[in-house]
Amino acid sequence: MGAEVHSTPWGRFLLHPNDLIGRTLAAGNLWDGAGFMMPIIKEHAKGGVFIDIGANLGLLSIFAVQYAEKVIAVEAIPQTYQMLLANLDLNKSWNVIPVCKAAYDREVRMAWAPEAVQGQKIHGVAYEDIGNIGGLAVVPGDGPIQGIALDSLAFLFTPRVSLIKVDAQGCDLRALKGLERTIRRDSPVVVFEF
């Protein structure tokens, strides 16, 4: 069974029925339970730049467009990035700049952990059959994904970065180290997975 478009309280989303986050959204629920990120976005993204590292299907990026002047949606997994693009288009989220890179502390080639991708399969499982595509992690290795320090994209971060969300599957600190100059300059609110 392939991906399908679902209407949710937060917009329309292309979702895989086998994906945990996709099923949660299709049911009209938020992945983070009570939706703790939405009040943070409302308060801290106003008029600034929101960097959504680990944007996944784009829910928070799409929600943030009504508050932030600009949203940078960073998604490392190419298949998930394609769904993110579709969801941005479905919701006419034109002030979101999508970035298909892995946020890291330096430029480096990356692969799916612990093994590199084989064809369209990840760990021997077809992408659409993975139970939680948001749980896929990448690590330095000889793989198809480019890791970058997001400070290299600082020309996009105007007027100022006001909020950074990081959900980088174990690479959260490395992703933040790659934004050290921006964090020192703008003193944004930072929310990360622990």
Side-chain angles (χ1 to χ4, degrees):
M1 183 181 236
E4 299 173 351
V5 174
H6 292 268
S7 291
T8 75
W10 309 280
R12 298 178 67 219
F13 291 89
L14 181 65
L15 306 170
H16 274 296
N18 297 335
D19 175 50
L20 180 60
I21 295 172
R23 285 193 318 268
T24 303
L25 285 175
N29 296 311
L30 291 170
W31 173 245
D32 63 352
F36 76 91
M37 272 305 298
M38 290 178 172
I40 293 171
I41 289 169
K42 284 180 184 178
E43 183 174 342
H44 297 288
K46 275 187 200 153
V49 177
F50 170 46
I51 302 176
D52 186 2
I53 300 171
N56 195 289
L57 301 172
L59 171 67
L60 295 177
S61 294
I62 290 165
F63 178 78
V65 297
Q66 58 193 313
Y67 302 100
E69 185 166 316
K70 189 185 306 176
V71 178
I72 312 296
V74 182
E75 177 52 52
I77 308 299
Q79 296 93 329
T80 306
Y81 179 77
Q82 291 304 313
M83 291 183 71
L84 167 67
L85 293 177
N87 292 332
L88 294 174
D89 189 49
L90 281 168
N91 292 282
K92 297 175 177 43
S93 301
W94 311 131
N95 66 334
V96 177
I97 299 171
V99 176
C100 188
K101 303 283 185 195
Y104 209 63
D105 60 1
R106 66 186 185 281
E107 189 169 317
V108 63
R109 297 301 307 164
M110 300 185 89
W112 277 267
E115 59 193 25
V117 69
Q118 300 167 358
Q120 289 299 309
K121 295 189 175 192
I122 300 168
H123 302 298
V125 178
Y127 174 81
E128 58 273 3
D129 293 331
I130 292 172
N132 180 8
I133 58 175
L136 293 173
V138 294
V139 295
D142 188 25
I145 297 169
Q146 181 65 46
I148 63 167
L150 291 179
D151 272 338
S152 67
L153 302 178
F155 63 94
L156 297 173
F157 305 158
T158 58
R160 63 177 276 283
V161 174
S162 56
L163 178 62
I164 300 170
K165 185 254 350 181
V166 186
D167 184 356
Q169 304 308 78
C171 291
D172 298 48
L173 181 59
R174 296 266 189 167
L176 289 170
K177 284 184 176 188
L179 277 166
E180 185 175 355
R181 287 191 320 259
T182 299
I183 292 169
R184 287 183 189 278
R185 183 192 71 212
D186 295 343
S187 300
V189 170
V190 176
V191 179
F192 60 93
E193 188 176 63
F194 178 71

